[in-house]
Amino acid sequence: MLLLACAVPYLSLEIFPFLSILSLGVPALVVANAIFFLYWLLGLKKQAFTSLSVLVFGYFVLGTFLKFSAKSTDFKEDELKLMTFNVRGFNRYRFLDNDSIPQQIKSFIRKENPDIINFQEVGYDMEENYLDYPYHFLKKIHTGDKVHMGIFSKYPIINAEIIDFPNSINNGSYADILYKGDTLRLYNLHMQSLGITLWYGSSALTIFRAASETGYQSV
């Protein structure tokens, strides 16, 4: 199973949509193979080499399964600091029982002080003066139930537009930003999830829906 999970990035999910769920089980599969390896090794069984080979192969194919960082990254004053933030409508639909979410988001942004922010799921009524940034791109989409995006920048935005994903509520946007005499094109995308949904109010827990029903996959 771990070998199959390692192959998922190289397979077309349009042909094998059900395999996408395997990537979520990689940690459990690693632990299971490690236990089998130790079991066979203590018993001096040759099957230990099989489990070890799978673990080594998976390590080099998928990279490190767990990555630890000993220190945080400190930005220099002359470096461009970017932030991407899915604000989930600023908790308008009460995903969390907390009325101060919009203020907490604003305080967090002020603390981090990014030069450019990509917002996803800002809602239809987000105002341009929400943050004290001189340049911004907020385009209202009047047709369909589309996700709204926002880009705020301390540097001039000379061109920006919506990227429409057909047959989906998801979309994206881009902005051409002047920075130190050059033009940077910044993309802001909201991709569709794998459709893993927790349904409340039911005696049964629905773990996932058919991945074949989704038009886009998460990146």
Side-chain angles (χ1 to χ4, degrees):
M1 293 292 289
L2 182 58
L3 284 176
L4 192 57
C6 293
V8 167
Y10 306 99
L11 299 176
S12 172
L13 295 182
E14 293 184 358
I15 301 177
F16 307 103
F18 56 90
L19 293 180
S20 60
I21 200 69
L22 278 179
S23 59
L24 299 178
V26 167
L29 293 173
V30 171
V31 172
N33 276 273
I35 292 174
F36 274 113
F37 168 68
L38 293 175
Y39 175 78
W40 297 124
L41 183 64
L42 293 175
L44 299 178
K45 301 292 185 178
K46 62 181 180 180
Q47 288 91 333
F49 293 101
T50 302
S51 295
L52 179 62
S53 299
V54 171
L55 288 170
V56 172
F57 178 76
Y59 178 87
F60 286 106
V61 170
L62 296 178
T64 54
F65 297 110
L66 296 176
K67 185 176 181 180
F68 298 94
S69 178
K71 58 181 180 179
S72 60
T73 301
D74 294 326
F75 286 88
K76 299 178 181 179
E77 291 186 1
D78 60 342
E79 291 182 327
L80 185 66
K81 188 174 183 179
L82 307 178
M83 175 186 287
T84 180
F85 203 148
N86 186 323
V87 295
R88 302 187 73 187
F90 297 97
N91 202 37
R92 180 182 295 104
Y93 301 108
R94 305 290 298 177
F95 296 113
L96 299 174
D97 187 18
N98 188 339
D99 295 329
S100 65
I101 293 296
Q103 292 74 25
Q104 290 182 25
I105 292 175
K106 185 178 291 188
S107 297
F108 175 75
I109 294 172
R110 287 174 175 169
K111 176 184 176 182
E112 294 298 325
N113 193 29
D115 297 306
I116 304 172
I117 312 172
N118 279 351
F119 283 114
Q120 301 90 40
E121 298 188 32
V122 298
Y124 184 83
D125 54 354
M126 184 180 187
E127 299 294 337
E128 295 177 347
N129 60 358
Y130 173 72
L131 295 172
D132 188 22
Y133 278 60
Y135 307 99
H136 33 69
F137 175 64
L138 284 171
K139 186 172 183 178
K140 309 299 184 183
I141 304 174
H142 300 281
T143 58
D145 189 21
K146 285 286 190 177
V147 171
H148 283 78
M149 319 288 280
I151 300 176
F152 285 72
S153 173
K154 295 180 181 179
Y155 298 93
I157 297 176
I158 59 175
N159 181 45
E161 194 49 77
I162 293 291
I163 304 172
D164 181 57
F165 297 164
N167 304 318
S168 173
I169 66 170
N170 303 284
N171 59 3
S173 61
Y174 70 85
D176 295 329
I177 299 175
L178 284 179
Y179 177 70
K180 293 185 177 181
D182 204 350
T183 302
L184 306 178
R185 172 159 290 189
L186 185 73
Y187 287 92
N188 184 17
L189 303 177
H190 186 280
M191 308 297 284
Q192 187 158 322
S193 71
L194 293 173
I196 299 173
T197 305
L198 183 64
W199 295 97
Y200 295 97
S202 173
S203 59
L205 178 63
T206 303
I207 302 300
F208 61 90
R209 298 177 297 186
S212 59
E213 294 179 359
T214 62
Y216 299 90
Q217 300 296 329
S218 297
V219 176

